[in-house]
């Protein structure tokens, strides 16, 4: 464990978890993430941001100076479905653009509670379908963190159900896959988690999908038909309340013969990748994402040529 990680965990407990103990509502994330945005939105000189639309949905396109001419990383930010933006996630997305050589398309989907399920998922489907008009599916990787990891998996399930070409691979960082909360880590890791409290998790359903069945696979991908989904990478921390959301989803996908890579990281906070400016473990995790993406883009391109 790096010295930086040793310091960040207690800092997160003081700055974020303490707020959730006082007000255990997922909406508490909104001011927390708004406060992150000014610092996180800074970009290096070799990355350009364009504000575009895909399928009528606002999208931030990040392109590195030395980017390849083909390929797209379709990224869906987290924030409990109620917070966050492409700008809060630039410490991760600008590195993906630089290190993969792909343009990153970060979707600015509609947030709850103003726009409840399935609004955000519908935006992701619309933007992905429009991206297919510019980039072939075998050159696209879809990724997301936390709620965005949920939307990445739900998007793949929707694409499969609607007969739309699936991407080459999925990248899911600490995804929330089970709003029905049938796993045990939300309780067993409640004290160890550096950010969240159990009571906050209980408010998500009412904000994101009020009145809906939490077993709906587009709400809880863990309960969907995962056969024939693309190769998928999971990253999650061993102290996270959402640990089981990754491990159980990975197990289910493996049982359905999906190619799965999962790494459980010790002692890291939820979506530590966003702390890449400070945290060596975050930069190492991003390096591993890049390797995974490169391997599966090459494999998908080879299969496309062979067919």
């Amino acid at each position: 464990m790096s010295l930086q990680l040793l310091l960040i965990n207690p800092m997160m407990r003081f700055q974020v978890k303490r707020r959730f103990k006082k007000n255990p509502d997922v909406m508490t994330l909104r001011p927390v993430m708004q406060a992150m945005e000014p610092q996180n939105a800074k970009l290096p000189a070799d990355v350009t941001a364009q504000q575009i639309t895909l399928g009528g949905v606002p999208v931030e396109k990040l392109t590195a100076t030395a980017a390849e001419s083909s390929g797209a990383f379709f990224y869906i930010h987290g924030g409990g479905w109620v917070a966050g933006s492409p700008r809060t996630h630039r410490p991760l997305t600008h590195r993906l653009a630089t290190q993969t050589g792909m343009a990153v398309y970060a979707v600015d989907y509609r947030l709850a509670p103003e726009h409840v399920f399935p609004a955000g998922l519908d935006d992701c489907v619309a933007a992905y379908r429009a991206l297919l008009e510019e980039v072939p599916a075998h050159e696209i990787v879809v990724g997301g963190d936390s709620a965005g990891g949920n939307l990445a998996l739900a998007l793949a399930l929707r694409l499969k159900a609607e007969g739309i070409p699936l991407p080459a691979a999925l990248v899911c960082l600490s995804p929330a896959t089970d709003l029905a909360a049938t796993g045990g880590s939300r309780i067993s890791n409640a004290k160890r988690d550096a950010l969240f409290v159990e009571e906050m998790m209980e408010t998500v359903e009412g904000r994101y999908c009020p009145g809906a069945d939490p077993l709906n696979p587009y709400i809880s991908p863990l309960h969907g038909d995962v056969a024939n989904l693309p190769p998928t990478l999971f990253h999650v921390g061993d102290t996270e309340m959402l640990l089981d959301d990754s491990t159980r989803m990975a197990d289910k996908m493996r049982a359905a013969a999906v190619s799965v890579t999962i790494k459980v990281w010790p002692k890291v906070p939820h979506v530590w990748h966003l702390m890449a400016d400070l945290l060596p473990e975050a930069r190492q995790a991003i390096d591993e994402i890049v390797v995974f993406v490169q391997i599966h883009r090459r494999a998908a391109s080879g299969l496309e040529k062979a067919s």
Side-chain angles (χ1 to χ4, degrees):
M1 183 195 310
S2 68
L3 176 61
Q4 293 92 323
L5 180 58
L6 193 64
L7 296 173
I8 279 174
N9 275 323
M11 181 184 74
M12 299 301 291
R13 287 180 175 276
F14 180 78
Q15 292 184 345
V16 182
K17 187 160 188 165
R18 187 172 61 125
R19 295 180 71 166
F20 279 122
K21 285 181 178 179
K22 291 180 179 178
N23 181 19
D25 186 331
V26 69
M27 287 299 292
T28 300
L29 272 176
R30 189 170 285 185
V32 168
M33 297 192 78
Q34 285 173 340
M36 290 167 50
E37 190 167 301
Q39 178 63 33
N40 284 14
K42 296 177 182 179
L43 287 173
D46 62 345
V47 176
T48 301
Q50 294 174 272
Q51 307 307 316
I52 65 172
T53 59
L54 288 174
V57 179
V59 171
E60 177 173 89
K61 180 181 179 182
L62 296 183
T63 309
T65 302
E68 298 176 359
S69 59
S70 64
F73 201 124
F74 186 90
Y75 195 82
I76 310 171
H77 71 80
W81 295 277
V82 302
S85 73
R87 293 165 297 285
T88 59
H89 282 60
R90 284 180 177 178
L92 169 58
T93 54
H94 84 67
R95 286 178 168 84
L96 293 175
T98 300
Q99 293 180 230
T100 66
M102 304 164 75
V104 173
Y105 294 80
V107 189
D108 201 0
Y109 59 90
R110 288 172 290 173
L111 298 177
E114 295 85 357
H115 305 281
V116 298
F117 172 85
L121 178 56
D122 287 345
D123 285 352
C124 294
V125 173
Y128 179 89
R129 294 188 68 154
L131 182 60
L132 284 178
E133 298 175 8
E134 303 177 20
V135 183
H138 69 272
E139 284 285 335
I140 299 174
V141 172
V142 170
D145 63 277
S146 194
N150 169 289
L151 289 169
L153 290 160
L155 170 62
L157 292 174
R158 276 274 297 269
L159 298 177
K160 186 177 76 161
E162 296 177 18
I164 301 168
L166 290 162
L170 301 174
V171 174
C172 299
L173 312 178
S174 303
T177 68
D178 181 25
L179 268 69
T182 59
S185 61
R186 294 196 185 196
I187 297 173
S188 62
N189 271 351
K191 291 184 179 179
R192 301 175 72 206
D193 193 297
L195 290 176
F196 302 135
V197 298
E198 187 178 353
E199 294 82 3
M200 184 277 286
M201 296 288 188
E202 295 170 358
T203 72
V204 171
E205 188 179 338
R207 295 293 192 178
Y208 175 53
C209 52
D213 181 359
L215 296 177
N216 180 331
Y218 300 138
I219 293 172
S220 297
L222 179 66
H223 303 286
D225 176 8
V226 299
N228 301 313
L229 290 190
T232 302
L233 171 67
F234 291 93
H235 277 179
V236 68
D238 68 347
T239 62
E240 290 195 57
M241 292 176 69
L242 292 181
L243 172 62
D244 284 355
D245 287 55
S246 284
T247 57
R248 294 173 73 211
M249 189 75 192
D251 287 345
K252 180 168 183 174
M253 293 174 77
R254 279 200 188 110
V258 177
S259 174
V260 172
T261 302
I262 181 168
K263 181 167 180 180
V264 179
W265 292 69
K267 302 188 187 310
V268 291
H270 184 63
V271 195
W272 67 100
H273 310 72
L274 295 182
M275 304 175 190
D277 291 341
L278 300 172
L279 201 57
E281 287 85 351
R283 295 190 291 274
Q284 181 185 347
I286 293 170
D287 289 344
E288 292 188 5
I289 293 169
V290 172
V291 171
F292 175 86
V293 167
Q294 291 170 339
I295 289 171
H296 289 287
R297 273 189 71 204
R298 285 196 296 267
S301 295
L303 288 172
E304 182 69 17
K305 291 176 182 177
S307 62

